[in-house]
Amino acid sequence: MKHGKWHKRQVDQSLPAWKVEFLRYKELKPIVSAVSGRPPSPAEFVALLDAEIEKINAFFIEQEEFFIIRHKELQVAIRDALARKAAVPEAAHEAEIAAIRREIVNFHGEMVLLLNYSSVNYIGLAKILKKYDKRTGAVLRLAVIETVLAQPFFTAEAVTLMVRECEAMMEAVFPTAPGEGQAAARRDREALAAAEQRIFRNTVAALLAMEDVRSGSSTRGRHSLPPLTLPDSEWLRSF
Amino acid sequence: MRKCDLRQSHSSRVSGAMSSSLPILPNSLKENFPGPHNPQLASMQRQLTNDSVPLHHSALQSASLHPRAGAMRSVYSGLLGYPANPLDSVPNHDRQSMVASFACQSPDIVAFQPLSNSIPGGHTEETWFPGSVDGLSDYRDIIPASGNQIQNGSPAVTSDVVAQQNEWWDIMNDDWKDILDATANDSQSKSMVQPSNSAASQPAVNQPASSHGGEICNVASPPNSNSAAKQRMRWTPELHECFVDAVNKLGGSEKATPKGVLKLMKVESLTIYHVKSHLQKYRTARYKPELTEGTTGERSSTEELTLDLKSSMDLTEALRLQMEVQKRLHEQLETQRKLQLRIEEQGKYLQMMFEKQSKSNKEKVLGLSSGGAATLSSEPSHSANRSRESDEDDDLNITGDSLGSAELRENSMRAGGNQGPAQSESSDPLASTNDGSQASQEKRRRVHDS
């Protein structure tokens, strides 16, 4: 039940609105692994998974759509703010820029969390397929996992691209010199939204959880990922 | 992006990947289909079920022999054998309607048709008689021929069928186009993504290449379900650009109407429903930031903050830190994803090599080898030996042997091309994942992005 615990932790630590959108690993596993009674036939099982994947895809695609819109808006906002710089009082400009910075980082964070969502679901599907093959002696895993790899929620190149573009946007609006404007900084500090902290904490949690799920396993085989040791895990755990 | 290239250059393999998505669909059907009772074939069938891929390939081979709509059905039911256990056969009347709805799919959506609605209670003991499917006459001949071999307990690979695997890999692409063109005319779907290109074009769709980058995944429902055909539209940045241009031309998000935007965009297969929902999201996105900016004054009056970390440093630094952590997570996710893809690719490759190997062994044993088969066996046997070594190595170690086979695969399967970068890329992710160092990850990322 180890992966079940890991999966649950990921879900619990995710953004509240997302919790219901994850793969229902906890529900699927007993269907497969039930010691008494018969496991589902391949057809039934695939149908179950299909339904889950459909749900995951739908959520992913919708989030992606929101992100695409937001991404464009952010680009426009940066362009406009920089263009207006000379024409507006410095305080107003600073406020705009500060808001943009916040938005960049939060936006980046949400996208990465969506990618993490994809990953958690993929891993859950892979695990459950492995369990099914093990239980029934079928060879379902390879075929199904191939289709999963082609699914919208896994083919997330657009989101990755936007993430990288966000990182590039930082250059435009973040100061190169640290400690700019102490007074303004103190004021802004008090204004940090709770959303930021939540995203931040989720990100840290996700990183640590990744390290967790990728630590040694009793059932590692040809299809397992290598173990992961983050160099900064102590630092991360201090958050 | 490398991933995109990988798919495009492996078009035949992509088709293989795509084709292996097909069994998912038929599986949900097979329980509808009671089988006749031919004892000999039934016992052979049971042994065949333990070796999924041969049926898969053989059925597809018959597809290549019958490039017409009928072949679609034969492939379709031929694939029933694939991963499943036990198998059921296909009565003609049900097959027709199922195939029509199946044919509407872009292949990777195929798997997710809710055909489970049509599944009756579990039938676990029925056998599947491939001969009951029309268009599979060749296959029927082949099965009895190799039936004896199978019943002798040898690893069940129908040798004649598998002998044409390579041919199949090459023919697959073209035949799929033909087959799906033929069946697409029967279907009511609006958009039909060509399978031989679809998997390759899907990653491409999201690249800033095409202006009409939107992709409609048509999930038509099966005859039994009550819901109307559901269109799942996947927006891309390019398509959104087009949308924004149209909206701006019409005077902004408040003034623009879905109908006007749709007309201006001139994108085929985009419906007013899509535009309407997207416009709604767009309006929400534009309106909300204006609200938050207006509340800057409120924020400065916020007293208590639960930000233990961020209260101790100034905002920009805190944001930078948050960004760093996020970047870290992103990199790890990307690495992980590439690895997952590679693992599955190799799994497929190993499986195929294993079959070629056992096939060529069988040919030697039975003295069936012709000139063609002999040359076929000389190449794969070498690779298969290497893959055997990695099979036996159960501890995860993607570095050594499996990568060696990956290299071999790339050599033997690809026409030409980028062997060098591919090989250096394949060894890097694992090394850097194992030590987790940022520097090597950065380097790897640059290599991948090239």
Side-chain angles (χ1 to χ4, degrees), chain A residues 38 41-44 46-47 50 53-54 57-58 60-62 64-66 68-69 72-73 95-96 99 101-102 104-106 108-109 112-113 115-116 119 122-123 136-147 149-152 154-158 160-161 163-164 166-167 170 174-176 178-179 185 187-193 196-197 199-201 203-204 206-207 210 214 220-232 235-236 239, chain B residues 1 3 7 16-17 20-21 24 27-28 30-31 52 82-85 108-109 111-113 116 119-122 124 202-203 206-208 219 230 232-237 240-241 244 277-278 281-282 285-286 293 296 299-300 302 305-323 325-330 332-334 336-337 339-341 343-344 347-348 350-351 390-391 394 396 398 430 433-436 445 449:
Chain A
R38 68 166 188 88
S41 71
E44 286 170 358
V46 167
D50 286 355
I53 292 172
E54 186 62 38
N57 274 335
F60 182 90
I61 286 177
E62 190 169 42
E64 188 185 48
E65 188 179 349
F66 276 119
I68 287 175
I69 293 175
K72 177 84 181 138
E73 290 310 298
E96 271 187 69
R101 285 186 196 139
R102 216 167 10 250
I104 291 177
V105 175
N106 286 342
H108 181 273
V112 173
L113 284 175
L115 293 174
N116 186 57
S119 162
Y122 175 82
I123 292 176
T136 65
V139 260
L140 209 55
R141 199 198 69 87
L142 194 60
V144 178
I145 211 70
E146 276 191 69
T147 71
L149 289 173
Q151 288 306 301
F154 197 77
T155 54
E157 290 81 16
T160 300
L161 197 63
V163 168
R164 298 210 193 281
C166 253
E167 289 164 17
M170 296 265 292
F174 269 74
T176 42
R187 211 177 36 236
D188 289 336
R189 197 165 56 220
E190 297 163 15
L192 265 182
E196 256 167 10
Q197 198 185 25
I199 290 173
F200 180 67
R201 290 208 178 282
T203 309
V204 172
L207 258 177
M210 191 187 289
R214 300 253 310 260
R220 263 174 48 207
R222 218 173 38 244
H223 296 288
S224 310
L225 290 167
L228 172 68
T229 346
L230 295 169
D232 300 328
W235 171 67
L236 286 170
F239 286 142
Chain B
M1 273 184 100
K3 180 171 178 240
R7 288 195 178 219
S20 56
S21 74
I24 305 310
N27 278 337
S28 57
K30 50 182 192 50
E31 298 203 328
S52 48
Y82 188 21
N85 186 13
D108 53 307
I109 300 301
F112 307 113
Q113 255 217 35
S116 51
I119 296 180
T124 49
Q202 275 203 10
N206 290 326
Q207 302 307 319
V219 184
K230 189 175 54 162
R232 201 204 304 139
M233 173 67 185
R234 192 176 187 187
W235 282 83
T236 69
H240 181 67
E241 283 276 350
V244 170
S277 99
H278 193 73
K281 294 188 170 102
Y282 185 66
R286 305 211 83 196
E293 261 171 43
T296 341
R299 272 200 229 110
S300 56
T302 322
L305 289 170
T306 54
L307 309 163
D308 22 358
L309 169 70
K310 289 177 180 172
S311 56
S312 63
M313 45 179 100
D314 79 287
L315 175 64
T316 350
E317 283 313 300
L319 286 174
R320 271 195 213 274
L321 182 63
Q322 183 177 339
M323 184 55 120
V325 175
Q326 285 165 192
K327 273 166 93 166
R328 193 78 56 84
L329 176 58
H330 183 232
Q332 292 297 338
L333 286 167
E334 281 298 289
Q336 191 170 273
R337 199 153 73 90
L339 279 178
Q340 285 158 345
L341 279 165
I343 285 173
E344 295 307 327
K348 243 181 33 174
L350 293 177
Q351 179 127 17
S390 52
D391 272 351
D394 242 40
L396 173 67
I398 314 188
L430 301 158
T433 306
N434 284 334
D435 64 43
R445 197 171 39 172
D449 286 344

